[in-house]
Amino acid sequence: MEPILQCSSLTKRYGSKTALDGVSFSLERGRIVGLLGPNGSGKSTLIKLANGLLTPSAGEIRISGLLPGTETHAMVSYLPERTYLSDWMTANDLLKFFDSFYEDFNLDKAAQMLTHLGIQPKDTLKTMSKGTKEKIQLVVVMSREAELYLLDEPIGGVDPAARDYILNTILTNYSENSTVLISTHLISDIERVLDDVIFLNQGQITLHKTVDDIRSEYGKSVDALFREVFAC
Amino acid sequence: MQWNLSDDRPIYVQLMETITLAITSGELPAGSRLPSVRDLAAEAGVNPNTMQRALAELERSGLLYSQRTAGRFVTDQAAQITEKRTELAMEQIRVFLSAMQDMGYTAEQALELTRRAIREEK
């Protein structure tokens, strides 16, 4: 089977600055993968390239063998780093919006998760806290039955309890054949849900291993290794 | 089950230990059916593939077995569970004896103190 995501010599430059520098790797299906790196290491650039929001300066990125485009958008569920939702929308508007936009959207599942979170269909986004907004966005993204989920900093702005809820939502909602790529720098919270981790530093991959291989080889957590590798 | 996972050791190994303890303590009785991989993973807050690996290793050791359609079960060989339980107990005792030795006690003295502690507890 074709890897769900494959990069070959993927390079992205912004003017004279190189954000991604000849990155090559592939992701299998059915994995939860952490894309880890300090700020400015190229995490968001990589995710935007996978979504076709940016085009490579050199090399290529393929989703299930295809270059990013209409066909791959149907396979990929993307949680951007920043909110793109309009404040006037109600929770119900948002569900309808996703339902009409994506064929693979599971409306019942999304509605159920929102009820569970205590969000009323008539609540507008404007009245919600930052943490609730992040949760609601994750709910709609995870309610798609996609092949690849690209989550850019899903736990950045929320408190630890909300973090647990979000991680649990990811764990219980991805299907066995789909892959989840999560970019973050909050590693200790997330490492036990990951299969593999990719360390990205200054646009290059410095490590790509399973969490348990790292723990047995180095005798320490991914978080501890990360702190060591990226010590300033 | 109490899933207390530490940071420095492989997660699947710690999952194996927790499940083994649940079996030897009787929390998961001989012949009982285990929850699904997904449910166990969600309960422990870990990746399903990692839980799958732990269960596969326990199957290899014989403490668990799976039946293609019915699911995964604790072994019904009581002797095997007893053996595992003794093995775990012996490990603890060796740790204890070695700590006592570090304090300068002989094994005999350690045993005598243990008897005293048991008497006092009663």
Side-chain angles (χ1 to χ4, degrees):
Chain A
M1 217 174 185
E2 203 93 52
I4 185 66
L5 180 83
Q6 187 158 34
C7 303
S8 14
S9 312
L10 184 66
T11 300
K12 179 66 188 176
R13 293 185 207 93
Y14 301 110
S16 63
K17 193 183 176 308
T18 305
L20 278 182
D21 189 6
V23 164
S24 299
F25 71 95
S26 60
L27 298 184
E28 291 167 50
R29 288 163 200 268
R31 315 285 285 180
I32 304 182
V33 184
L35 181 62
L36 314 177
N39 295 322
S41 54
K43 303 189 295 287
S44 291
T45 298
L46 179 62
I47 287 182
K48 284 178 184 157
L49 285 163
N51 270 305
L53 295 171
L54 296 170
T55 49
S57 310
E60 62 173 23
I61 185 163
R62 286 180 180 269
I63 312 292
S64 195
L66 303 165
L67 293 172
T70 318
E71 261 179 291
T72 68
H73 289 154
M75 293 183 231
V76 176
S77 191
Y78 170 48
L79 180 76
E81 195 179 5
R82 286 193 184 79
T83 173
Y84 57 95
L85 303 170
S86 310
D87 257 355
W88 56 263
M89 281 183 141
T90 64
N92 201 37
D93 289 336
L94 182 62
L95 296 196
K96 280 196 193 144
F97 177 69
F98 262 74
D99 194 37
S100 58
F101 214 83
Y102 296 108
E103 229 170 87
D104 60 1
F105 189 69
N106 188 332
L107 184 62
D108 291 341
K109 188 159 127 181
Q112 225 170 44
M113 281 200 269
L114 291 191
T115 313
H116 192 75
L117 276 172
I119 297 170
Q120 302 297 320
K122 285 193 174 152
D123 291 352
T124 58
L125 292 176
K126 202 175 169 171
T127 62
M128 293 175 193
S129 70
K130 191 177 176 197
T132 306
K133 266 188 221 169
E134 295 210 8
K135 282 188 218 163
I136 204 171
Q137 278 196 78
L138 185 81
V139 163
V140 290
V141 166
M142 293 309 296
S143 293
R144 284 187 54 197
E145 274 142 28
E147 291 180 47
L148 178 64
Y149 299 88
L150 298 172
L151 313 178
D152 201 354
E153 290 287 357
I155 56 173
V158 300
D159 61 74
R163 241 169 244 175
D164 283 349
Y165 174 82
I166 286 176
L167 291 180
N168 210 22
T169 304
I170 295 171
L171 267 182
T172 48
N173 286 291
Y174 86 106
S175 79
E176 270 156 69
N177 294 318
S178 57
T179 287
V180 186
L181 183 68
I182 307 173
S183 94
T184 187
H185 53 259
L186 297 167
I187 301 164
S188 66
D189 288 319
I190 209 173
E191 75 174 85
R192 68 178 55 170
V193 313
L194 302 176
D195 286 295
D196 310 289
V197 295
I198 296 174
F199 276 16
L200 202 56
N201 192 21
Q202 295 176 4
Q204 294 184 323
I205 289 183
T206 54
L207 182 126
H208 184 178
K209 277 197 163 87
T210 71
V211 169
D212 275 350
D213 280 352
I214 289 175
R215 287 179 174 216
S216 24
E217 269 174 50
Y218 300 89
K220 57 182 74 156
S221 64
V222 176
D223 185 49
L225 181 67
F226 183 89
R227 284 164 200 265
E228 201 175 286
V229 171
F230 295 107
C232 301
Chain B
M1 275 174 269
Q2 282 293 323
W3 306 95
N4 294 322
L5 303 176
S6 79
D7 272 346
D8 48 348
R9 295 188 306 130
I11 297 163
Y12 82 93
V13 175
Q14 300 182 58
L15 297 177
M16 284 174 68
E17 290 167 354
T18 305
I19 297 166
T20 302
L21 198 62
I23 294 171
T24 56
S25 71
E27 187 187 341
L28 287 174
S32 64
R33 186 168 179 276
L34 258 73
S36 72
V37 175
R38 290 220 138 208
D39 288 347
L40 278 172
E43 190 190 313
V46 300
N47 183 297
N49 292 320
T50 311
M51 184 57 79
Q52 173 64 39
R53 181 173 179 194
L55 296 175
E57 296 279 340
L58 287 170
E59 261 179 44
R60 202 165 312 152
S61 79
L63 274 182
L64 300 179
Y65 69 96
S66 47
Q67 263 181 350
R68 207 182 308 173
T69 51
R72 203 179 253 110
F73 298 84
V74 177
T75 178
D76 39 26
Q77 312 282 317
Q80 196 181 353
I81 296 174
T82 310
E83 191 185 316
K84 187 74 206 173
R85 189 163 167 228
T86 312
E87 189 187 312
L88 291 179
M90 292 303 278
E91 250 169 56
Q92 283 301 314
I93 291 166
R94 267 186 235 102
V95 169
F96 165 72
L97 285 177
S98 141
M100 293 303 282
Q101 215 165 31
D102 289 347
M103 282 184 257
Y105 290 103
T106 66
E108 284 307 316
Q109 289 168 326
L111 185 60
E112 188 43 50
L113 282 175
T114 308
R115 284 208 185 91
R116 197 170 113 194
I118 294 169
R119 271 199 305 275
E120 280 168 11
E121 215 170 88
K122 276 180 188 163

